[in-house]
Amino acid sequence: MKSSFIHYIYILLLFITCQVSAQNATSQIRLFGKITDAETKEALPYASIRISGTTLGCSSDNNGNFSFFTPKLKDTLIVSSIGYKEIRLPLSHNIKLPINLKMKAERYQLSEVTIKPKKEKYSRKNNPAVTLVRTIIDRRDDNAPENKPFYSRDRHEKLNVALNNFDTSKENHFAKKFAFLENYIDTSLISGKPILHVSARELIATDYYRKQPKRKRQHVKARKREGIDDIVSAESIEALYEETFKDVDIFNDNISLFGSKFMSPLSKLGPTFYRYYIMDTLDIDGEKCIDLAFTPFNSESFGFTGHIYVTSDSTFFIKLVQMNVPHDINMNFIEYMNIKQRFSRLDDGTRILNEESLVTEFKIIDAANGLYASRNVSYANYRFQQDSLSQVALDFPGNVIEDDNSTRRDTAYWAANRLTTVTEKEQSVGRMMKELRANPLYYWMEKGIAFLFTGWIPIREHEPPVFYGPVNTSVSYNELEGLRLRTGAMTSAYLHPHLFGNFFVAYGTRDNRWKYMGELEYSFKKKKEHPNEFPIHSLRLHYENDIYQYGQNYLYTNKDNIFLSLKRQDDNKIGYLKNAEFTYTREFYNHFSYAVTLRNRIDESTYLIPFERVNTSNGVTTKSYVKDITQSEIEIYLRYAPNEKFTQTKWNRYSVLPEHPVFSIKHRIGFKGIMGGDYNYHHTEGSFKKRFWFSAFGYTDCILKAGKVWNKVPFPLLISPNANLSYTIQDESYWLMNAMEFFNDEYVSWDLTYFMNGLIFNRLPLIRKLNWREVISTRGLFGNLSDKNRPDPLNTGTLFNFPYNEESPHYMTSTPYVEVAVGIENIFRVLRVDYVRRLTYRDLPGIDKEGIRIKLHIQF
């Protein structure tokens, strides 16, 4: 998700930066003061302060202080806190600042129970609110529709993103330049501010659920999107929205939103994470309900504040939920977020969700007004009997079935099938964008942003058949080539939906040698934009004549990325490579995939990586050099990633939220004598990846790998761990290991990183204001090189000498190689800095024992 999120954020910055002057031109008045207890004079933290009729306001801090801006001084200031009488203060220009208010304790009566807030420390023992919530938690699944063998429901979903507090005054030069935008101004449901919609999406679908065997499917009947997000890949932005604005299930232990896990107030661990209060009773839809309020013990942690309205009868049925994130939450960009859910029950007591809304305000940069987003989902026509249509849907291998004409539904279809109203302003985004793009200034600004953050240049505006790029590989540097210049291009589905091409040409100014790559892929499935769209079923022919950097595997970027040219060690473990491949790939909807590759590869030696044989006989040592070696092999690759979701760029994929396990195994077989092959060999490697969530306390990314080369082979065919020579953080690599420092023919490795979400920093005075988050990691491997693959004197004259033998022994003992790192992420919201230390093999020459590594890491 992070890659697409970065692209999307910066596309939005195109609009937002134009609004900075608008905010400065808007009159803003600062309201500030302090809230205290009228009896004890103690400060009241977490009191709610807001302007009536809006959500303009804030919460008091730990010292009872508050401060926020408002565009006007009228209406009423409302101050409330759990257990205290509400204060309503009329506002005018004559109000005296600071506003210091004293709140009086309130009594609440519920049936026979009387509750009075006390000043002693909150206690869970003998607390009726905690007793109530534990009862609700124990019975939270009693009325769930998932208890039925089957159900289906109709869904209508709309999602809008808008520029917040959009100013159309004459002082705003952007608005003045595009005066027509005033015709598209709407009003925020949160604050009543003027907003300008820049993205609008709608979905009409049917959800299906079956208990045994458990299965969920969604049949998408109509989908449309308009606005600035059509700059980004449709598949990529769709996955981004699905993971950012997910369905909320308050009855689960964890709630996934914005790529993070929040602890639900109805989690089994809820009483250890939240404070609960019984506030009052009120009537909802003709039923008497208890107002159960909750707030996290630590306001910086990933939890909610809000209210659950539960019937006061013996069923404890939840009618309504309203939740916000705490004002001080250690979460980027989110200024305000409100979630509402409304439930009703059928005659048999089954709980059904009728509507859900999420409204939020983002602030990407402090100097601008930010963004407003609202997502509304309505459900209707719950059915509990299967029919032929539902059976077909549930038997479909993928999670989503989409009609071929889903994006071409006419106005009459939308009007007949919507479950909620869509306003005229929400539907006018496409028309507004068409007017904007007709302006040359905006047109080229948008193209520049898209080019800068996607790295590819389309040759025409709509449905581009060819892209040039990626731009970050145009110029780079390494020891063998010196300055490397590269240009390339790739085709898209707009040229041909089944046939795709990709190529580059590069030249080194030091070795004066041309390099090139060409690839042709035929997809058996028709693609929307790019060949790596899920699911892949293709034949691919690939040929490259290029350099090869031994001991460095660039898994998530290009080897000639200009940002990796600065190295902590000389980048001199480089040879030449000629590689021809023919690959058949098949992915299934259950996320099992396999690939079979036929490969002929020629590794050519260089003065940096000589293929040198040493023969010692009768006390006489002779040396001979081999120009190249050839490998003819077949590779079989199996991968299983249940429930995987990912975003994808034009050339790669990224797991959106790798909380589900990913298993893979690869086996290569080399054939001597076939197409020039020099060796018979077998090489097996397998891996396991998973993200383990600890609810609001962060998560750990776990990667385990193992591999073995079964035969006697020269060092180019052995296993050299992936060394990271750059100063940046590169996943699945060793940050302090040198390239080709070790050779193994068998290994077991681990890579563990714990992202703590501010678990410690959130509890430290002053530090918690920085919103830093802790990162702890360790990586290492147990490796071994058997006698049969050790060169002279054990295998004199038959194996190549290891290059740079004077710098490293190349052999690992029973001691594993181990690195540990501690770091801070979310520095200035975008930066991660780690200190890494090497724990073993510290006495080898030419190695780094410790260092600092950095990474741009943008996240919520």
Side-chain angles (χ1 to χ4, degrees):
M1 185 184 81
K2 293 180 178 64
S3 176
S4 293
F5 175 61
I6 292 171
H7 295 162
Y8 190 60
I9 287 297
Y10 281 100
I11 290 170
L12 291 172
L13 281 176
L14 169 65
F15 285 87
I16 295 172
T17 50
C18 296
Q19 276 293 95
V20 173
S21 60
Q23 183 186 34
N24 295 335
T26 303
S27 175
Q28 295 282 319
I29 302 165
R30 178 171 175 254
L31 292 180
F32 61 96
K34 186 169 185 175
I35 311 298
T36 58
D37 185 289
E39 295 180 10
T40 67
K41 314 302 181 188
E42 294 176 353
L44 282 181
Y46 315 127
S48 172
I49 303 101
R50 61 184 176 86
I51 305 293
S52 62
T54 76
T55 54
L56 288 173
C58 65
S59 296
S60 60
D61 62 18
N62 287 336
N63 297 315
N65 297 313
F66 72 91
S67 175
F68 68 97
F69 287 88
T70 178
K72 55 187 178 180
L73 275 178
K74 62 178 186 178
D75 298 322
T76 301
L77 185 72
I78 301 175
V79 182
S80 59
S81 182
I82 296 174
Y84 290 86
K85 293 181 179 179
E86 182 179 271
I87 296 177
R88 303 179 71 89
L89 179 69
L91 293 177
S92 71
H93 288 281
N94 298 323
I95 193 167
K96 184 179 179 181
L97 297 173
I99 303 172
N100 296 320
L101 298 175
K102 299 177 181 180
M103 302 193 73
K104 295 181 179 180
E106 179 67 281
R107 291 176 177 267
Y108 295 100
Q109 184 169 340
L110 174 63
S111 300
E112 302 300 324
V113 181
T114 300
I115 300 171
K116 179 182 178 181
K118 299 179 181 180
K119 300 303 173 287
E120 63 264 18
K121 184 179 178 181
Y122 175 89
S123 173
R124 292 189 292 268
K125 187 176 181 180
N126 298 322
N127 186 330
V130 174
T131 301
L132 174 61
V133 78
R134 282 177 172 157
T135 302
I136 297 173
I137 292 170
D138 289 342
R139 303 183 59 176
R140 66 184 184 180
D141 298 327
D142 288 357
N143 306 306
E146 287 76 15
N147 293 333
K148 299 278 189 178
F150 163 87
Y151 76 82
S152 67
R153 63 188 180 187
D154 294 337
R155 167 195 288 254
H156 174 226
E157 181 176 334
K158 63 175 185 176
L159 172 63
N160 296 90
V161 179
L163 299 181
N164 205 11
N165 199 21
F166 190 82
D167 181 33
T168 58
S169 66
K170 295 181 180 179
E171 290 81 3
N172 183 353
H173 301 295
F174 181 79
K176 185 177 180 180
K177 183 72 176 178
F178 303 97
F180 64 87
L181 293 177
E182 188 169 3
N183 300 325
Y184 299 98
I185 298 298
D186 204 351
T187 303
S188 167
L189 296 176
I190 298 176
S191 62
K193 300 174 184 177
I195 59 174
L196 180 69
H197 295 286
V198 294
S199 172
R201 308 173 74 85
E202 255 192 290
L203 177 77
I204 291 175
T206 299
D207 298 334
Y208 295 95
Y209 169 84
R210 185 176 65 200
K211 186 175 182 179
Q212 292 294 337
K214 187 174 182 179
R215 183 166 291 182
K216 291 182 179 181
R217 295 291 184 265
Q218 185 178 87
H219 179 192
V220 176
K221 301 175 180 178
R223 185 197 301 272
K224 67 177 178 178
R225 64 188 188 112
E226 297 175 317
I228 63 169
D229 47 326
D230 58 15
I231 301 172
V232 184
S233 163
E235 297 286 329
S236 181
I237 202 67
E238 204 69 53
L240 170 66
Y241 276 127
E242 287 178 3
E243 288 302 315
T244 303
F245 300 98
K246 297 184 72 171
D247 292 345
V248 172
D249 188 351
I250 194 175
F251 301 96
N252 276 341
D253 288 332
N254 298 307
I255 295 173
S256 298
L257 281 173
F258 301 100
S260 299
K261 295 283 189 181
F262 295 79
M263 183 170 288
S264 168
L266 296 183
S267 167
K268 294 176 182 177
L269 295 177
T272 66
F273 186 86
Y274 287 98
R275 291 184 174 97
Y276 297 93
Y277 303 89
I278 295 175
M279 300 295 294
D280 205 348
T281 59
L282 66 162
D283 186 276
I284 297 179
D285 298 333
E287 292 191 79
K288 186 177 181 181
C289 293
I290 302 168
D291 178 0
L292 178 66
F294 54 89
T295 184
F297 282 100
N298 186 290
S299 62
E300 285 87 2
S301 57
F302 279 64
F304 299 97
T305 64
H307 300 261
I308 297 173
Y309 300 93
V310 56
T311 58
S312 57
D313 59 19
S314 60
T315 63
F316 298 101
F317 185 87
I318 293 177
K319 297 282 291 185
L320 180 66
V321 176
Q322 298 189 67
M323 303 190 299
N324 305 309
V325 292
H327 180 268
D328 296 328
I329 190 172
N330 186 351
M331 193 175 184
N332 293 329
F333 313 118
I334 304 295
E335 292 289 300
Y336 172 86
M337 181 169 67
N338 177 265
I339 299 170
K340 293 183 180 179
Q341 291 184 321
R342 185 177 291 273
F343 301 89
S344 63
R345 52 180 161 182
L346 303 177
D347 292 339
D348 63 358
T350 301
R351 177 184 66 240
I352 61 173
L353 176 62
N354 301 112
E355 56 184 330
E356 176 183 335
S357 68
L358 186 153
V359 183
T360 185
E361 287 184 340
F362 301 90
K363 213 167 194 179
I364 299 171
I365 55 176
D366 291 334
N369 286 306
L371 303 172
Y372 164 93
S374 66
R375 176 183 182 264
N376 295 275
V377 187
S378 297
Y379 303 95
N381 302 322
Y382 279 78
R383 298 169 289 271
F384 298 94
Q385 297 295 325
Q386 291 194 53
D387 54 22
S388 57
L389 291 178
S390 63
Q391 190 63 48
V392 170
L394 289 167
D395 289 341
F396 186 74
N399 293 325
V400 177
I401 313 106
E402 185 150 358
D403 289 348
D404 292 337
N405 60 342
S406 63
T407 59
R408 299 188 297 273
R409 297 294 190 183
D410 58 22
T411 303
Y413 181 92
W414 284 100
N417 290 277
R418 286 189 178 110
L419 300 178
T420 55
T421 303
V422 179
T423 68
E424 191 276 333
K425 295 292 177 66
E426 291 172 337
Q427 297 184 64
S428 63
V429 175
R431 189 167 68 251
M432 181 196 72
M433 294 304 300
K434 186 175 181 180
E435 289 191 61
L436 265 177
R437 287 167 179 160
N439 182 286
L441 174 62
Y442 173 80
Y443 174 84
W444 290 110
M445 287 174 65
E446 182 180 271
K447 290 300 175 186
I449 290 286
F451 162 68
L452 184 61
F453 292 102
T454 64
W456 295 84
I457 305 173
I459 66 167
R460 71 183 185 201
E461 179 180 0
H462 298 294
E463 300 182 350
V466 177
F467 291 84
Y468 292 101
V471 66
N472 62 2
T473 65
S474 300
V475 181
S476 59
Y477 179 86
N478 63 71
E479 188 74 17
L480 180 63
E481 295 179 288
L483 190 67
R484 175 183 169 101
L485 307 175
R486 168 175 155 168
T487 185
M490 65 181 297
T491 69
S492 74
Y494 301 120
L495 182 65
H496 195 289
H498 293 279
L499 194 62
F500 299 88
N502 186 10
F503 83 94
F504 73 75
V505 177
Y507 182 77
T509 59
R510 179 175 294 172
D511 65 351
N512 297 312
R513 180 163 168 168
W514 288 95
K515 294 89 181 174
Y516 48 87
M517 184 278 293
E519 188 173 273
L520 191 64
E521 183 170 359
Y522 178 79
S523 172
F524 294 97
K525 297 181 68 68
K526 184 177 180 181
K527 298 297 183 179
K528 298 177 181 178
E529 294 182 86
H530 306 296
N532 60 356
E533 294 166 6
F534 180 83
I536 296 174
H537 184 199
S538 70
L539 287 170
R540 180 173 58 89
L541 183 64
H542 172 96
Y543 182 79
E544 64 179 310
N545 185 337
D546 202 357
I547 65 169
Y548 181 72
Q549 294 167 291
Y550 288 88
Q552 297 183 72
N553 301 320
Y554 295 94
L555 302 176
Y556 301 103
T557 186
N558 304 88
K559 65 175 176 288
D560 45 6
N561 186 329
I562 187 173
F563 300 108
L564 300 182
S565 295
L566 180 63
K567 306 283 188 176
R568 61 180 176 85
Q569 296 277 346
D570 292 337
D571 189 9
N572 55 11
K573 311 297 192 297
I574 307 175
Y576 290 116
L577 168 70
K578 295 178 182 178
N579 185 38
E581 294 181 349
F582 183 69
T583 303
Y584 173 74
T585 304
R586 182 72 186 271
E587 287 183 328
F588 298 90
Y589 283 105
N590 63 357
H591 293 277
F592 171 77
S593 63
Y594 67 88
V596 180
T597 300
L598 303 178
R599 180 181 296 116
N600 183 262
R601 169 176 172 151
I602 301 175
D603 284 86
E604 181 181 337
S605 65
T606 65
Y607 73 95
L608 295 172
I609 302 291
F611 295 166
E612 176 190 71
R613 283 198 181 106
V614 177
N615 193 351
T616 302
S617 178
N618 299 322
V620 178
T621 299
T622 59
K623 294 184 178 181
S624 62
Y625 293 89
V626 176
K627 180 182 178 181
D628 55 50
I629 60 171
T630 300
Q631 308 163 45
S632 294
E633 61 186 33
I634 182 172
E635 177 181 294
I636 301 173
Y637 177 67
L638 306 177
R639 185 177 187 271
Y640 181 50
N643 300 305
E644 182 181 34
K645 291 185 179 181
F646 44 76
T647 62
Q648 53 195 62
T649 65
K650 294 174 175 62
W651 61 277
N652 209 343
R653 288 180 179 177
Y654 300 91
S655 289
V656 173
L657 203 60
E659 60 186 51
H660 300 287
V662 178
F663 305 91
S664 67
I665 188 167
K666 176 172 60 178
H667 187 72
R668 293 160 51 194
I669 306 173
F671 301 95
K672 183 177 181 179
I674 297 179
M675 297 182 65
D678 292 320
Y679 302 96
N680 289 315
Y681 62 89
H682 290 264
H683 181 176
T684 307
E685 289 195 83
S687 70
F688 166 82
K689 302 178 184 179
K690 191 180 186 319
R691 173 168 293 178
F692 295 92
W693 280 95
F694 308 121
S695 189
F697 305 110
Y699 58 90
T700 294
D701 284 343
C702 172
I703 304 173
L704 304 177
K705 293 183 177 181
K708 184 176 179 65
V709 176
W710 302 84
N711 307 87
K712 178 178 179 179
V713 291
F715 74 80
L717 299 182
L718 294 175
I719 301 167
S720 185
N722 185 19
N724 175 17
L725 299 187
S726 75
Y727 292 99
T728 63
I729 295 172
Q730 298 291 326
D731 295 332
E732 298 186 51
S733 67
Y734 298 97
W735 303 353
L736 294 175
M737 184 184 289
N738 295 341
M740 302 181 76
E741 182 176 337
F742 300 105
F743 286 108
N744 301 300
D745 53 19
E746 56 186 4
Y747 78 97
V748 175
S749 70
W750 73 90
D751 190 334
L752 303 173
T753 305
Y754 178 28
F755 297 86
M756 300 175 67
N757 274 358
L759 182 63
I760 298 174
F761 289 155
N762 288 345
R763 289 159 173 79
L764 300 179
L766 301 181
I767 294 293
R768 65 184 180 187
K769 299 298 181 183
L770 299 173
N771 286 337
W772 288 352
R773 302 170 189 170
E774 316 85 345
V775 184
I776 301 174
S777 63
T778 177
R779 61 198 59 84
L781 80 158
F782 289 90
N784 178 58
L785 186 65
S786 57
D787 289 347
K788 67 174 178 291
N789 282 315
R790 300 191 181 201
D792 189 70
L794 293 176
N795 294 284
T796 179
T798 60
L799 296 177
F800 302 148
N801 270 0
F802 290 140
Y804 306 96
N805 195 52
E806 71 280 359
E807 295 181 6
S808 172
H810 300 289
Y811 306 134
M812 296 186 70
T813 66
S814 58
T815 300
Y817 175 88
V818 181
E819 292 176 353
V820 295
V822 293
I824 301 174
E825 65 172 349
N826 208 39
I827 302 173
F828 307 120
R829 298 184 178 182
V830 299
L831 185 64
R832 173 181 165 188
V833 178
D834 281 30
Y835 166 78
V836 57
R837 183 175 179 84
R838 178 169 171 158
L839 299 185
T840 57
Y841 300 97
R842 290 171 54 86
D843 57 345
L844 301 182
I847 58 100
D848 291 329
K849 297 181 180 180
E850 57 190 4
I852 300 294
R853 301 293 179 265
I854 63 173
K855 182 179 185 179
L856 288 177
H857 193 203
I858 300 177
Q859 59 182 342
F860 283 106

